[in-house]
Amino acid sequence: MADQSQVLSAGLIERQRVGQHTEDLVPKRHGVSDALIMLLPPEEDHDLAMARIFSDPVAMGNLEFKMLPNGYTAKDIAARRLDRDERQVKKEQVNYTVIVKKSLVPEHVVSLIDDDEYLPPKRVLIDSGHIDVDEPYLVVGCCGLLNMDAFNRSASVGIILDSRFWRTGISSAALYYSLKFGFDDLKLHRIGIETTEKNAGMRGWTENVLGIHVESIRKESLYLGNGKFVDSWDYAIFDYQWHGRAEARLRSKLRMVG
């Protein structure tokens, strides 16, 4: 009969094997093409739009701990993009730019868009082939999986969205595909969501759409600058919750068929 040390050793070997398998599944460049949005690997021609979003006090109003005192320049965003690219190569993140094709911009938003914000059609290379963006498009934000821990099959998910596109379903769609990739393709067990008490929209979405509740509140863990801190409200969704009911609830919200 195996003693306890042998059982623990076997368990560790199994966790290492599963962790290595998860790492092997993390792509260098991944993308999603959907009826509402596209998720593309971040590229240089996205930097200017992302700098505008990251410098917008409305878009970043619930993410003060990520803001720079004088806003972001395209150079700042380029440095951020390159750092995140490197982290994805190291299997620590999966990064996306969220885009919307011109014909799919919601009618009430069209008048808020300047013509020079649209980028030209392009073919985007990803690990599995390519995605054709066949008409002018807008960069409206970023999302993805962060803090990936293959050994423990965990990660966190996050999104930053142009405030003009709030309450259009784009955020829900982007988070849906990020979570789906994490649970279905990477076989993660746990994906965390970090927000703040102030961010009632994200907390409401997490609780009412995904059907999960706050896991912990980390007091004064996010630094705002000038000696000020804010609490982090931490949520987590598990693979059995996603497959059990949360995915179906989110698909229903997005009116997905099948």
Side-chain angles (χ1 to χ4, degrees):
M1 184 174 182
D3 61 26
Q4 186 175 14
S5 63
Q6 289 176 313
V7 172
L8 291 174
S9 177
L12 180 60
I13 292 171
E14 172 63 14
R15 290 177 67 196
Q16 289 174 330
R17 184 191 66 77
V18 172
Q20 183 61 55
H21 179 62
T22 298
E23 282 193 344
D24 291 342
L25 295 173
V26 177
K28 292 181 179 178
R29 290 173 63 86
H30 185 253
V32 176
S33 180
D34 174 67
L36 180 61
I37 63 167
M38 288 183 172
L39 304 182
L40 302 180
E43 297 192 329
E44 184 177 0
D45 57 351
H46 304 160
D47 290 349
L48 192 60
M50 289 305 308
R52 182 185 58 75
I53 295 168
F54 272 64
S55 300
D56 176 13
V58 178
M60 301 298 286
N62 294 312
L63 297 165
E64 297 168 280
F65 52 92
K66 292 184 179 291
M67 294 183 71
L68 296 180
N70 298 313
Y72 285 76
T73 64
K75 185 176 180 180
D76 294 327
I77 294 295
R80 177 182 183 276
R81 171 173 50 80
L82 293 173
D83 174 70
R84 292 167 75 88
D85 285 349
E86 183 177 344
R87 291 177 185 273
Q88 183 153 344
V89 170
K90 293 178 179 178
K91 316 294 188 181
E92 297 171 355
Q93 297 184 350
V94 177
N95 304 302
Y96 302 114
T97 297
V98 185
I99 75 160
V100 177
K101 294 196 290 187
K102 187 173 184 178
S103 64
L104 298 175
V105 174
E107 186 175 345
H108 72 279
V109 178
V110 171
S111 63
L112 305 177
I113 308 298
D114 294 329
D115 287 341
D116 61 2
E117 292 186 62
Y118 290 100
L119 296 177
K122 65 186 298 185
R123 170 166 288 188
V124 178
L125 299 179
I126 58 175
D127 286 10
S128 60
H130 64 267
I131 294 175
D132 284 323
V133 187
D134 57 4
E135 61 176 277
Y137 67 95
L138 287 171
V139 169
V140 300
C142 61
C143 68
L145 298 168
L146 314 170
N147 307 314
M148 292 186 60
D149 179 348
F151 186 77
N152 291 304
R153 293 169 54 206
S154 68
S156 59
V157 68
I159 186 168
I160 298 174
L161 193 69
D162 186 326
S163 59
R164 296 173 294 184
F165 289 84
W166 289 1
R167 299 179 181 85
T168 60
I170 289 172
S171 180
S172 289
L175 288 169
Y176 169 79
Y177 284 110
S178 297
L179 290 167
K180 182 176 177 60
F181 184 70
F183 287 125
D184 290 1
D185 293 82
L186 300 184
K187 309 301 181 185
L188 296 177
H189 172 62
R190 179 187 189 276
I191 298 179
I193 300 171
E194 177 184 284
T195 187
T196 62
E197 182 177 15
K198 175 183 176 181
N199 195 346
M202 177 57 87
R203 290 194 295 105
W205 184 90
T206 303
E207 294 172 7
N208 299 324
V209 178
L210 293 184
I212 59 177
H213 301 286
V214 65
E215 185 177 70
S216 65
I217 299 173
R218 289 181 289 131
K219 303 295 290 184
E220 299 186 13
S221 60
L222 303 173
Y223 185 55
L224 301 182
N226 298 317
K228 297 180 180 179
F229 294 83
V230 67
D231 300 345
S232 174
W233 284 50
D234 297 345
Y235 295 79
I237 180 169
F238 296 88
D239 50 2
Y240 51 84
Q241 293 174 315
W242 174 255
H243 296 300
R245 194 166 61 159
E247 180 181 15
R249 291 171 65 143
L250 189 45
R251 288 181 65 87
S252 176
K253 178 179 176 62
L254 293 167
R255 295 181 173 86
M256 292 179 169
V257 179

